[in-house]
């Protein structure tokens, strides 16, 4: 059988098309399998550990993002301090959930409930504070490479509320007003302590 240049070109084009389609499908499958279920039972407590570790990682990423790229924004020190506190709370919450035997997670735990409500209030306070923030370090390159802080905040909000609902409580804040009269933790007097990489 004689193979012509046209035949070889047609085969090469079809292989590239198949490979491209396979890569797209593989990406779609991976994206779907890493997302949380969109349908779940309120208060079932089936995803607590998974959601808690995701919340911790998102808080860590946001804290690093603020530290590296947003230090020139208004009231950075106070807001960063609050975000760092939220990160510590997320770590603590994950430790509590992870180290509580699964059958005991079915019991009501007022400590977890109060932690979730405190985290929710602090989160929405931070969300209000950063609404007008822009990256101050290579803003155009940064945005195209990483997205923006607002999108990270929205993802964390979704995880936090999903975690609360999976536990069986609802946010007390529907359209959160700015917290008035709240005293933020004291700002660090030395250089900022960055969050832990890879956690």
């Amino acid at each position: 059988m004689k193979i012509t240049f046209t035949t070889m070109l047609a085969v090469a084009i079809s292989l590239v098309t198949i490979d491209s389609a396979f890569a797209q499908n593989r990406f779609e499958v991976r994206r779907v399998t890493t997302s949380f279920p969109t349908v779940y039972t309120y208060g079932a407590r089936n995803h607590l550990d998974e959601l808690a570790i995701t919340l911790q990682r998102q808080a860590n990423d946001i804290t690093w993002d603020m530290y590296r790229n947003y230090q020139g924004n208004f009231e950075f020190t106070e807001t960063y301090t609050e975000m760092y506190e939220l990160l510590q709370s997320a770590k603590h919450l994950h430790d509590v959930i992870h180290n509580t035997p699964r059958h005991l997670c079915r019991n009501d735990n007022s400590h977890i409930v109060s932690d979730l409500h405190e985290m929710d209030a602090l989160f929405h306070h931070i969300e209000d504070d950063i609404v007008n923030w822009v990256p101050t370090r290579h803003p155009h390159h940064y945005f195209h490479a990483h997205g923006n802080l607002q999108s990270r905040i929205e993802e964390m909000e979704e995880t936090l509320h999903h975690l609360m609902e999976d536990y069986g409580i609802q946010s007390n804040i529907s359209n959160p007003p700015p917290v008035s009269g709240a005293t933020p933790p004291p700002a660090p007097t030395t250089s900022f302590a960055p969050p832990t990489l890879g956690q």
Side-chain angles (χ1 to χ4, degrees):
M1 180 175 146
K2 188 174 183 180
I3 300 176
T4 64
F5 175 75
T6 307
T7 306
M8 289 174 50
L9 183 61
V11 169
I13 290 171
S14 65
L15 288 175
V16 168
T17 305
I18 290 169
D19 187 48
S20 174
F22 175 74
Q24 288 174 355
N25 288 338
R26 185 174 57 196
F27 174 76
E28 289 298 319
V29 168
R30 187 169 66 177
R31 185 172 62 93
V32 169
T33 56
T34 57
S35 65
F36 295 119
T38 54
V39 178
Y40 60 95
T41 304
Y42 180 85
R45 302 180 185 177
N46 289 328
H47 307 287
L48 295 177
D49 192 51
E50 180 184 4
L51 289 162
I53 189 63
T54 300
L55 188 72
Q56 177 182 323
R57 287 176 181 152
Q58 289 171 333
N60 193 69
D61 289 347
I62 289 168
T63 309
W64 262 119
D65 195 4
M66 286 181 172
Y67 180 78
R68 289 178 173 149
N69 302 296
Y70 288 84
Q71 290 197 32
N73 283 277
F74 179 67
E75 294 186 344
F76 170 80
T77 302
E78 295 82 358
T79 307
Y80 177 85
T81 302
E82 292 171 344
M83 188 63 218
Y84 193 84
E85 179 187 340
L86 186 60
L87 169 61
Q88 301 312 310
S89 297
K91 287 179 178 179
H92 170 72
L93 180 69
H94 175 249
D95 286 343
V96 170
I97 290 173
H98 185 72
N99 294 316
T100 301
R102 186 168 173 83
H103 69 281
L104 294 180
C105 278
R106 298 291 175 189
N107 302 330
D108 288 333
N109 185 325
S110 59
H111 177 79
I112 292 176
V113 171
S114 64
D115 280 358
L116 284 168
H117 281 303
E118 287 173 15
M119 289 174 66
D120 189 43
L122 182 57
F123 172 84
H124 285 293
H125 179 66
I126 293 167
E127 186 178 38
D128 288 339
D129 287 347
I130 66 167
V131 70
N132 293 318
W133 278 20
V134 293
T136 53
R137 182 180 174 201
H138 310 297
H140 299 296
H141 168 73
Y142 174 81
F143 181 80
H144 289 296
H146 304 285
N148 63 27
L149 186 61
Q150 291 297 331
S151 63
R152 290 174 186 262
I153 287 288
E154 288 169 10
E155 290 171 1
M156 185 175 172
E157 179 178 24
E158 184 178 334
T159 303
L160 177 57
H161 289 175
H162 189 161
L163 176 56
M164 294 176 78
E165 291 169 5
D166 192 44
Y167 194 80
I169 60 174
Q170 292 183 343
S171 173
N172 291 331
I173 305 169
S174 50
N175 293 311
V179 177
S180 59
T183 305
T189 55
T190 58
S191 60
F192 298 117
T196 306
L197 277 173
Q199 289 187 3

